[in-house]
Amino acid sequence: NNQTSSIISKMWKNFIFAIAFLITISLWSYIYSQYHTSFEKSTGALINISGQQRMLTQRIGFLSEELVLASDNQKKETIINELSVLISRFKQHHNGLIDWDASLGLFPVSRPQVIDIYYNSPHYLDDQIRSFIQHVDRLIEVSKQETSDSIVETVVEARYIISIVFNNELLNGLELVVAENEQISIEQMQLLNFVNIVVLISNILGLLLVGIFLFKPLLKEVSQQFENAIQQNKILKNEIKNRKSIELEKEKLEVRYESIINNLPIG
């Protein structure tokens, strides 16, 4: 009874340990998968928004040229309204890319490569974008005026904006942000695949540990009982052998005594 209770107690402790091990692995894999999902969403949003910034830049450059060539006020007003909408979106995207904007699925940029593109040599992308925004805002402002000076300034601002777009420096910087985040996404997928393999192997090992820790005391007891049975069997065999030897000696003595008695002279 005491021995059985001790075995059950050991099995229960080992079972708890093994289950805790599996739960820890599962919890860790769940937390990492959640982190990876969140990271991938953020990276995907960065790629998407950076790509949109390139298209917005090109569209703003095209509209700036159209604004200078517009011959009637209605067309100019339509172009100015579209420019206002586009530059407003452009500003929101930029703020989201360098800081965060949950509505766009963007979070703080933490990768050094991306930060370098925005703030360090040779790109200084943040400075380029702020200068671009400033000139577009100025273009919209002066194009609403109807003086000879404003017309000249509209042309100057439009040409400057067009030169920025056709110079490709700003577009190349935005394209580099896209490329960096695509590389980050590839690295994360490779890391996720590695982690999945580690988790799979860990779970298999964990299941083996469950079996080992759970049944080890029982197997040990069964093994001990088997060894005891073998020993008892050996003892029994020796006893049987000894008994047979004694019986054989007894039979020999009986035959001998019988022979002696039979050979005694009759009186």
Side-chain angles (χ1 to χ4, degrees):
N1 255 348
N2 291 334
Q3 194 172 12
T4 304
S5 298
S6 176
I7 293 171
I8 293 173
S9 176
K10 287 181 181 178
M11 288 176 64
W12 179 246
K13 289 178 182 178
N14 291 338
F15 177 75
I16 292 175
F17 176 81
I19 291 300
F21 177 77
L22 284 178
I23 289 174
T24 301
I25 294 173
S26 300
L27 185 61
W28 176 77
S29 61
Y30 172 77
I31 291 172
Y32 180 79
S33 65
Q34 290 296 108
Y35 161 77
H36 177 78
T37 300
S38 175
F39 188 93
E40 277 298 302
K41 286 181 180 177
S42 179
T43 303
L46 279 166
I47 294 170
N48 180 43
I49 298 301
S50 298
Q52 287 187 39
Q53 288 293 80
R54 292 188 80 260
M55 291 186 288
L56 287 172
T57 301
Q58 292 172 316
R59 179 62 180 168
I60 288 170
F62 173 77
L63 289 175
S64 298
E65 184 179 6
E66 288 289 300
L67 184 60
V68 173
L69 299 175
S71 56
D72 60 86
N73 290 333
Q74 186 175 357
K75 186 174 181 181
K76 285 180 65 175
E77 185 177 352
T78 301
I79 294 172
I80 290 170
N81 289 337
E82 186 176 353
L83 275 173
S84 298
V85 171
L86 294 181
I87 198 62
S88 177
R89 189 187 306 169
F90 192 90
K91 291 174 185 176
Q92 183 189 16
H93 288 181
H94 178 63
N95 291 332
L97 287 167
I98 63 173
D99 190 7
W100 67 278
D101 188 337
S103 65
L104 297 173
L106 295 170
F107 299 93
V109 177
S110 58
R111 290 293 292 226
Q113 297 94 324
V114 177
I115 293 174
D116 283 344
I117 296 169
Y118 273 95
Y119 296 109
N120 299 323
S121 174
H123 302 285
Y124 297 107
L125 187 57
D126 182 62
D127 291 340
Q128 292 186 60
I129 290 175
R130 292 186 187 279
S131 176
F132 181 75
I133 291 171
Q134 182 181 356
H135 285 284
V136 174
D137 283 339
R138 182 61 184 165
L139 173 64
I140 293 170
E141 180 185 344
V142 298
S143 61
K144 292 178 180 179
Q145 303 170 11
E146 296 182 357
T147 64
S148 57
D149 289 340
S150 66
I151 293 172
V152 173
E153 192 171 356
T154 297
V155 173
V156 172
E157 292 294 346
R159 285 179 177 175
Y160 184 82
I161 292 167
I162 293 167
S163 69
I164 292 175
V165 175
F166 281 97
N167 186 38
N168 280 335
E169 191 174 350
L170 177 58
L171 297 178
N172 289 339
L174 291 169
E175 181 61 33
L176 192 56
V177 174
V178 173
E180 285 292 344
N181 280 285
E182 286 178 343
Q183 181 60 36
I184 290 169
S185 182
I186 292 170
E187 291 172 2
Q188 281 294 310
M189 286 303 299
Q190 291 172 342
L191 180 59
L192 179 64
N193 290 334
F194 173 75
V195 169
N196 285 335
I197 292 171
V198 171
V199 170
L200 178 61
I201 294 172
S202 299
N203 278 313
I204 293 172
L205 291 175
L207 290 172
L208 290 174
L209 285 174
V210 169
I212 292 170
F213 287 139
L214 183 59
F215 295 107
K216 184 177 179 181
L218 182 60
L219 292 174
K220 185 176 180 181
E221 179 61 22
V222 170
S223 176
Q224 186 63 45
Q225 293 292 340
F226 185 73
E227 288 179 5
N228 291 340
I230 291 174
Q231 290 298 325
Q232 290 296 327
N233 189 46
K234 286 180 179 179
I235 292 171
L236 183 59
K237 283 182 177 179
N238 287 332
E239 287 181 357
I240 292 171
K241 184 178 179 181
N242 290 334
R243 286 178 184 178
K244 284 183 176 180
S245 178
I246 292 171
E247 289 292 331
L248 184 61
E249 288 296 324
K250 185 180 178 182
E251 288 178 0
K252 287 181 179 180
L253 285 173
E254 287 178 351
V255 170
R256 186 177 176 185
Y257 289 153
E258 186 178 352
S259 175
I260 291 172
I261 291 170
N262 290 333
N263 290 325
L264 286 174
I266 297 174

